[in-house]
Amino acid sequence: RIMAVLSDTQIKERALKGMITPFVDKLVTKDKQGSVLSYGLSSYGYDIRLSPSQCLLFGGVQHGICDPKDFDPDILKETELHEDERGKYFILPPYGYCLGVAVERLDLPRDITVVAVGKSTYARAGIMANITPAEAGWEGHLTLEISNCTPLFNRIYASEGICQLLFYQGDPCDVSYQERKGKYQNQPAEVTLARA
């Protein structure tokens, strides 16, 4: 069978069985404060939110080497959560790079893999959100990799949409991420650092 992207109906059906928690069954674009960066169910995807609980900025040190096989958490520093009439937000410095975490938890069945893509509004402001694929059988809160590609300070809004997930369904895999005991399985609702 050819892999296909799930539609809103298919995503909702699976989400109500626990694939996405918490699940918002429509695309939210406004709240009591006004417009928000959209989150929730869209036609062929689901927009996840950036958690206000944690945003770790690269820059705890100004020298040295970042080694993914021996990751030093001291190269990261907590960023302050700000709030004004537009909402809660973190500030990314010029060309800054940070790690955040998704509000939503995923529990993927063995026939669905997720790929994340950036949101148009952020891309137009010079913000790129990258998440590596979440393979069939993966469970947990996604760690979000967010980059400010501009020479300006840039806001990223907490509890609002940060990127869109696309759900691909194919034949069930022989060995799921869970069964092969992938090193990023069951990520908590906090940033998970690089592991060798």
PDB file of all heavy atoms in Angstrom, residues 108-110 135-138 173-182 185:
ATOM      1  N   LEU A 108       1.861   7.100  18.813  1.00  0.00           N
ATOM      2  CA  LEU A 108       1.676   6.709  17.416  1.00  0.00           C
ATOM      3  C   LEU A 108       1.505   5.197  17.261  1.00  0.00           C
ATOM      4  O   LEU A 108       2.299   4.423  17.799  1.00  0.00           O
ATOM      5  CB  LEU A 108       2.858   7.178  16.576  1.00  0.00           C
ATOM      6  CG  LEU A 108       3.071   8.692  16.541  1.00  0.00           C
ATOM      7  CD1 LEU A 108       4.324   9.032  15.743  1.00  0.00           C
ATOM      8  CD2 LEU A 108       1.848   9.406  15.973  1.00  0.00           C
ATOM      9  N   PRO A 109       0.489   4.795  16.487  1.00  0.00           N
ATOM     10  CA  PRO A 109       0.335   3.369  16.192  1.00  0.00           C
ATOM     11  C   PRO A 109       1.434   2.900  15.238  1.00  0.00           C
ATOM     12  O   PRO A 109       2.184   3.712  14.682  1.00  0.00           O
ATOM     13  CB  PRO A 109      -1.047   3.279  15.541  1.00  0.00           C
ATOM     14  CG  PRO A 109      -1.401   4.649  15.124  1.00  0.00           C
ATOM     15  CD  PRO A 109      -0.572   5.613  15.935  1.00  0.00           C
ATOM     16  N   ARG A 110       1.529   1.607  15.012  1.00  0.00           N
ATOM     17  CA  ARG A 110       2.630   1.029  14.231  1.00  0.00           C
ATOM     18  C   ARG A 110       2.497   1.244  12.724  1.00  0.00           C
ATOM     19  O   ARG A 110       3.370   0.838  11.966  1.00  0.00           O
ATOM     20  CB  ARG A 110       2.831  -0.429  14.575  1.00  0.00           C
ATOM     21  CG  ARG A 110       1.741  -1.356  14.187  1.00  0.00           C
ATOM     22  CD  ARG A 110       1.989  -2.803  14.601  1.00  0.00           C
ATOM     23  NE  ARG A 110       3.295  -3.268  14.263  1.00  0.00           N
ATOM     24  CZ  ARG A 110       4.251  -3.576  15.142  1.00  0.00           C
ATOM     25  NH1 ARG A 110       4.038  -3.476  16.421  1.00  0.00           N
ATOM     26  NH2 ARG A 110       5.432  -4.002  14.743  1.00  0.00           N
ATOM     27  N   GLU A 135       8.619   8.252  14.463  1.00  0.00           N
ATOM     28  CA  GLU A 135       8.326   7.012  13.747  1.00  0.00           C
ATOM     29  C   GLU A 135       7.187   6.224  14.393  1.00  0.00           C
ATOM     30  O   GLU A 135       6.813   6.469  15.538  1.00  0.00           O
ATOM     31  CB  GLU A 135       9.579   6.147  13.705  1.00  0.00           C
ATOM     32  CG  GLU A 135      10.704   6.764  12.897  1.00  0.00           C
ATOM     33  CD  GLU A 135      11.888   5.836  12.781  1.00  0.00           C
ATOM     34  OE1 GLU A 135      11.692   4.644  12.489  1.00  0.00           O
ATOM     35  OE2 GLU A 135      13.007   6.310  12.998  1.00  0.00           O
ATOM     36  N   ALA A 136       6.678   5.287  13.623  1.00  0.00           N
ATOM     37  CA  ALA A 136       5.603   4.410  14.082  1.00  0.00           C
ATOM     38  C   ALA A 136       5.966   3.801  15.429  1.00  0.00           C
ATOM     39  O   ALA A 136       7.065   3.295  15.614  1.00  0.00           O
ATOM     40  CB  ALA A 136       5.348   3.318  13.052  1.00  0.00           C
ATOM     41  N   GLY A 137       5.039   3.885  16.385  1.00  0.00           N
ATOM     42  CA  GLY A 137       5.271   3.339  17.712  1.00  0.00           C
ATOM     43  C   GLY A 137       5.897   4.310  18.696  1.00  0.00           C
ATOM     44  O   GLY A 137       6.063   3.992  19.868  1.00  0.00           O
ATOM     45  N   TRP A 138       6.242   5.533  18.231  1.00  0.00           N
ATOM     46  CA  TRP A 138       6.858   6.522  19.119  1.00  0.00           C
ATOM     47  C   TRP A 138       5.805   7.096  20.063  1.00  0.00           C
ATOM     48  O   TRP A 138       4.659   7.308  19.685  1.00  0.00           O
ATOM     49  CB  TRP A 138       7.502   7.639  18.305  1.00  0.00           C
ATOM     50  CG  TRP A 138       8.278   8.596  19.159  1.00  0.00           C
ATOM     51  CD1 TRP A 138       9.572   8.461  19.560  1.00  0.00           C
ATOM     52  CD2 TRP A 138       7.803   9.808  19.734  1.00  0.00           C
ATOM     53  NE1 TRP A 138       9.934   9.527  20.345  1.00  0.00           N
ATOM     54  CE2 TRP A 138       8.871  10.363  20.477  1.00  0.00           C
ATOM     55  CE3 TRP A 138       6.581  10.482  19.707  1.00  0.00           C
ATOM     56  CZ2 TRP A 138       8.752  11.561  21.174  1.00  0.00           C
ATOM     57  CZ3 TRP A 138       6.453  11.671  20.406  1.00  0.00           C
ATOM     58  CH2 TRP A 138       7.534  12.205  21.129  1.00  0.00           C
ATOM     59  N   CYS A 173       4.601  -1.492  10.219  1.00  0.00           N
ATOM     60  CA  CYS A 173       6.022  -1.858  10.134  1.00  0.00           C
ATOM     61  C   CYS A 173       6.278  -3.179  10.859  1.00  0.00           C
ATOM     62  O   CYS A 173       5.512  -3.563  11.745  1.00  0.00           O
ATOM     63  CB  CYS A 173       6.884  -0.744  10.704  1.00  0.00           C
ATOM     64  SG  CYS A 173       6.491  -0.309  12.409  1.00  0.00           S
ATOM     65  N   ASP A 174       7.354  -3.851  10.498  1.00  0.00           N
ATOM     66  CA  ASP A 174       7.739  -5.094  11.176  1.00  0.00           C
ATOM     67  C   ASP A 174       8.243  -4.818  12.591  1.00  0.00           C
ATOM     68  O   ASP A 174       7.916  -5.538  13.530  1.00  0.00           O
ATOM     69  CB  ASP A 174       8.836  -5.828  10.397  1.00  0.00           C
ATOM     70  CG  ASP A 174       8.316  -6.516   9.146  1.00  0.00           C
ATOM     71  OD1 ASP A 174       7.105  -6.817   9.093  1.00  0.00           O
ATOM     72  OD2 ASP A 174       9.121  -6.736   8.231  1.00  0.00           O
ATOM     73  N   VAL A 175       9.059  -3.754  12.726  1.00  0.00           N
ATOM     74  CA  VAL A 175       9.627  -3.405  14.029  1.00  0.00           C
ATOM     75  C   VAL A 175       9.358  -1.918  14.277  1.00  0.00           C
ATOM     76  O   VAL A 175       9.855  -1.064  13.550  1.00  0.00           O
ATOM     77  CB  VAL A 175      11.149  -3.680  14.082  1.00  0.00           C
ATOM     78  CG1 VAL A 175      11.711  -3.317  15.448  1.00  0.00           C
ATOM     79  CG2 VAL A 175      11.454  -5.129  13.746  1.00  0.00           C
ATOM     80  N   SER A 176       8.582  -1.609  15.292  1.00  0.00           N
ATOM     81  CA  SER A 176       8.252  -0.219  15.599  1.00  0.00           C
ATOM     82  C   SER A 176       9.374   0.431  16.414  1.00  0.00           C
ATOM     83  O   SER A 176      10.247  -0.251  16.951  1.00  0.00           O
ATOM     84  CB  SER A 176       6.945  -0.144  16.387  1.00  0.00           C
ATOM     85  OG  SER A 176       7.142  -0.612  17.708  1.00  0.00           O
ATOM     86  N   TYR A 177       9.304   1.750  16.535  1.00  0.00           N
ATOM     87  CA  TYR A 177      10.263   2.499  17.347  1.00  0.00           C
ATOM     88  C   TYR A 177      10.236   1.996  18.789  1.00  0.00           C
ATOM     89  O   TYR A 177      11.259   1.834  19.430  1.00  0.00           O
ATOM     90  CB  TYR A 177       9.924   3.989  17.287  1.00  0.00           C
ATOM     91  CG  TYR A 177      10.995   4.884  17.845  1.00  0.00           C
ATOM     92  CD1 TYR A 177      12.065   5.279  17.052  1.00  0.00           C
ATOM     93  CD2 TYR A 177      10.951   5.332  19.154  1.00  0.00           C
ATOM     94  CE1 TYR A 177      13.062   6.099  17.562  1.00  0.00           C
ATOM     95  CE2 TYR A 177      11.937   6.149  19.672  1.00  0.00           C
ATOM     96  CZ  TYR A 177      12.992   6.527  18.864  1.00  0.00           C
ATOM     97  OH  TYR A 177      13.983   7.332  19.366  1.00  0.00           O
ATOM     98  N   GLN A 178       9.039   1.719  19.268  1.00  0.00           N
ATOM     99  CA  GLN A 178       8.871   1.216  20.629  1.00  0.00           C
ATOM    100  C   GLN A 178       9.544  -0.147  20.800  1.00  0.00           C
ATOM    101  O   GLN A 178      10.263  -0.374  21.771  1.00  0.00           O
ATOM    102  CB  GLN A 178       7.385   1.111  20.950  1.00  0.00           C
ATOM    103  CG  GLN A 178       7.078   0.666  22.358  1.00  0.00           C
ATOM    104  CD  GLN A 178       5.591   0.624  22.610  1.00  0.00           C
ATOM    105  OE1 GLN A 178       4.826   0.120  21.793  1.00  0.00           O
ATOM    106  NE2 GLN A 178       5.185   1.152  23.745  1.00  0.00           N
ATOM    107  N   GLU A 179       9.350  -1.032  19.846  1.00  0.00           N
ATOM    108  CA  GLU A 179       9.907  -2.387  19.945  1.00  0.00           C
ATOM    109  C   GLU A 179      11.431  -2.410  19.848  1.00  0.00           C
ATOM    110  O   GLU A 179      12.076  -3.243  20.463  1.00  0.00           O
ATOM    111  CB  GLU A 179       9.287  -3.285  18.872  1.00  0.00           C
ATOM    112  CG  GLU A 179       7.819  -3.578  19.141  1.00  0.00           C
ATOM    113  CD  GLU A 179       7.092  -4.131  17.938  1.00  0.00           C
ATOM    114  OE1 GLU A 179       7.593  -3.984  16.790  1.00  0.00           O
ATOM    115  OE2 GLU A 179       6.012  -4.692  18.132  1.00  0.00           O
ATOM    116  N   ARG A 180      11.998  -1.489  19.072  1.00  0.00           N
ATOM    117  CA  ARG A 180      13.460  -1.479  18.986  1.00  0.00           C
ATOM    118  C   ARG A 180      14.091  -0.646  20.103  1.00  0.00           C
ATOM    119  O   ARG A 180      15.283  -0.412  20.136  1.00  0.00           O
ATOM    120  CB  ARG A 180      13.929  -1.036  17.609  1.00  0.00           C
ATOM    121  CG  ARG A 180      13.844   0.399  17.276  1.00  0.00           C
ATOM    122  CD  ARG A 180      14.587   0.667  15.951  1.00  0.00           C
ATOM    123  NE  ARG A 180      14.670   2.050  15.676  1.00  0.00           N
ATOM    124  CZ  ARG A 180      13.800   2.741  14.971  1.00  0.00           C
ATOM    125  NH1 ARG A 180      12.777   2.136  14.425  1.00  0.00           N
ATOM    126  NH2 ARG A 180      13.969   4.029  14.779  1.00  0.00           N
ATOM    127  N   LYS A 181      13.204  -0.175  21.021  1.00  0.00           N
ATOM    128  CA  LYS A 181      13.643   0.573  22.195  1.00  0.00           C
ATOM    129  C   LYS A 181      14.455   1.811  21.817  1.00  0.00           C
ATOM    130  O   LYS A 181      15.575   2.019  22.290  1.00  0.00           O
ATOM    131  CB  LYS A 181      14.402  -0.328  23.166  1.00  0.00           C
ATOM    132  CG  LYS A 181      13.540  -1.474  23.692  1.00  0.00           C
ATOM    133  CD  LYS A 181      14.279  -2.313  24.687  1.00  0.00           C
ATOM    134  CE  LYS A 181      13.486  -3.445  25.293  1.00  0.00           C
ATOM    135  NZ  LYS A 181      12.229  -3.835  24.793  1.00  0.00           N
ATOM    136  N   GLY A 182      13.846   2.638  20.939  1.00  0.00           N
ATOM    137  CA  GLY A 182      14.478   3.884  20.505  1.00  0.00           C
ATOM    138  C   GLY A 182      14.839   4.773  21.687  1.00  0.00           C
ATOM    139  O   GLY A 182      14.124   4.830  22.689  1.00  0.00           O
ATOM    140  N   GLN A 185      12.246   7.411  23.198  1.00  0.00           N
ATOM    141  CA  GLN A 185      10.899   6.938  23.514  1.00  0.00           C
ATOM    142  C   GLN A 185      10.423   7.515  24.852  1.00  0.00           C
ATOM    143  O   GLN A 185      11.208   7.695  25.776  1.00  0.00           O
ATOM    144  CB  GLN A 185      10.896   5.403  23.563  1.00  0.00           C
ATOM    145  CG  GLN A 185       9.537   4.778  23.782  1.00  0.00           C
ATOM    146  CD  GLN A 185       8.616   4.912  22.588  1.00  0.00           C
ATOM    147  OE1 GLN A 185       8.422   5.990  22.061  1.00  0.00           O
ATOM    148  NE2 GLN A 185       8.042   3.823  22.161  1.00  0.00           N
TER     149      GLN A 185
END
